[in-house]
Amino acid sequence: MLGVLPAVAQAQGVSIPNFWDPRAQLERPDLTGMRTVRFLVDDDFPPLHFPALDGTPTGFSVELARAACERLSLTCTIQVRRFDTLLDALADKQGDVVAAAIPVTAGLRDRFGLTSPYFKIPARFAVRKDRNLPPPDAKTLQGKSVGLVGGTAHEAFAKAFMPGATLKPFPELSAAQAALKAGEVDYVFADGLGLALWIGGEDSAGCCDFAGGPFLESRFFGEGIGFIVRKDEDNLRRALDFALQQLWKEGKYAELYLRFFPISPY
């Protein structure tokens, strides 16, 4: 389990995930008469969705939505809503697609239609660069200390698959990161997106880097993030799935990924 890897590509030294089966050839559905498509987004979860300097919504999910519209030759709008209102607004037909970091769950599938995932937040290990520790696996973690956030899926995963490690739970990720920076733990195992932002930011002071992984076990870390539509908009869902696959094949996905993930969580 400590060796689960997704399909990834490399560009400019950055690992770019690939969630599309190259053997699956999706067809573009007929979109004749399709009205303006209204995307609903939140603006408080960088780098997936956040306000640009001029206040307009941007981020990986937002720009991927814009690229999908362009690929399908659709007219689209982007409307910012509070995160906790997005799904109700979609159900009330105040918009047509939610493009936000809402994890796929069985309950979400029962209520809405979803595209295939375009992003998954992996779990990752971080380590101090100057410690020269080996890549973490079941053997090398024996006797090592691993900081993590208590009560999370990362702690549950670690308890299941890292029996030889000394687990040190912290109340929040920033505390675990500070302990790693100070040399108080050997590794941190946590949300790869949060770790990537910290590793590339000022607070880390260049102390640390990723080691091992990424880890994407869906039982612990979820099925990922996709575009969300109403159940009665299956034609739109299929169109978005087609567009996402084409954006990957044509390199647009990689272009956007490199823009928003200079330190890749993969």
Side-chain angles (χ1 to χ4, degrees):
M1 185 61 66
L2 290 182
V4 177
L5 295 172
V8 296
Q10 293 285 331
Q12 301 178 21
V14 177
S15 297
I16 302 172
N18 175 16
F19 305 111
W20 294 275
D21 183 350
R23 297 168 296 180
Q25 300 300 320
L26 301 180
E27 294 186 2
R28 185 186 191 279
D30 184 5
L31 298 176
T32 302
M34 177 66 73
R35 65 193 181 285
T36 297
V37 177
R38 301 163 297 167
F39 279 83
L40 303 174
V41 305
D42 168 71
D43 65 355
D44 194 26
F45 192 61
L48 292 175
H49 31 89
F50 61 95
L53 292 177
D54 63 359
T56 59
T58 189
F60 182 66
S61 292
V62 177
E63 299 307 328
L64 199 60
R66 289 189 171 114
C69 288
E70 182 176 352
R71 185 62 180 77
L72 294 168
S73 300
L74 291 175
T75 300
C76 298
T77 63
I78 305 291
Q79 303 176 17
V80 177
R81 305 265 179 153
R82 236 182 35 240
F83 185 81
D84 60 349
T85 68
L86 289 172
L87 294 180
D88 286 343
L90 178 64
D92 292 342
K93 298 188 177 181
Q94 298 173 36
D96 305 302
V97 187
V98 168
I102 297 177
V104 175
T105 63
L108 189 67
R109 287 189 183 281
D110 288 342
R111 189 179 177 194
F112 297 102
L114 295 103
T115 65
S116 297
Y118 61 79
F119 189 69
K120 296 181 181 181
I121 300 177
R124 294 296 305 267
F125 284 95
V127 65
R128 282 190 60 94
K129 294 177 181 178
D130 59 3
R131 294 291 297 273
N132 296 317
L133 291 173
D137 60 32
K139 182 178 180 180
T140 60
L141 286 172
Q142 294 287 329
K144 297 294 191 297
S145 57
V146 178
L148 36 70
V149 181
T152 61
H154 304 91
E155 183 180 38
F157 183 91
K159 287 180 176 179
F161 298 109
M162 306 174 199
T166 300
L167 305 182
K168 294 189 175 182
F170 291 86
E172 55 190 19
L173 181 56
S174 61
Q177 292 166 340
L180 180 65
K181 183 179 176 181
E184 297 168 1
V185 294
D186 296 312
Y187 299 92
V188 162
F189 183 67
D191 171 343
L193 184 54
L195 285 175
L197 293 173
W198 177 69
I199 287 170
E202 294 181 0
D203 287 348
S204 70
C207 71
C208 303
D209 205 350
F210 284 125
F215 304 95
L216 292 164
E217 171 52 57
S218 60
R219 288 182 300 149
F220 291 89
F221 309 124
E223 299 178 43
I225 300 163
F227 292 137
I228 307 169
V229 302
R230 288 184 298 278
K231 286 277 193 178
D232 61 358
E233 292 280 11
D234 195 60
N235 201 50
L236 178 57
R237 180 196 61 78
R238 291 189 299 109
L240 292 170
D241 262 328
F242 169 82
L244 288 169
Q245 185 184 59
Q246 296 306 306
L247 293 173
W248 167 260
K249 288 182 177 180
E250 295 163 4
K252 185 65 176 181
Y253 182 96
E255 175 191 324
L256 293 175
Y257 192 90
L258 290 169
R259 184 193 308 177
F260 292 104
F261 298 98
I263 303 294
S264 174
Y266 283 82

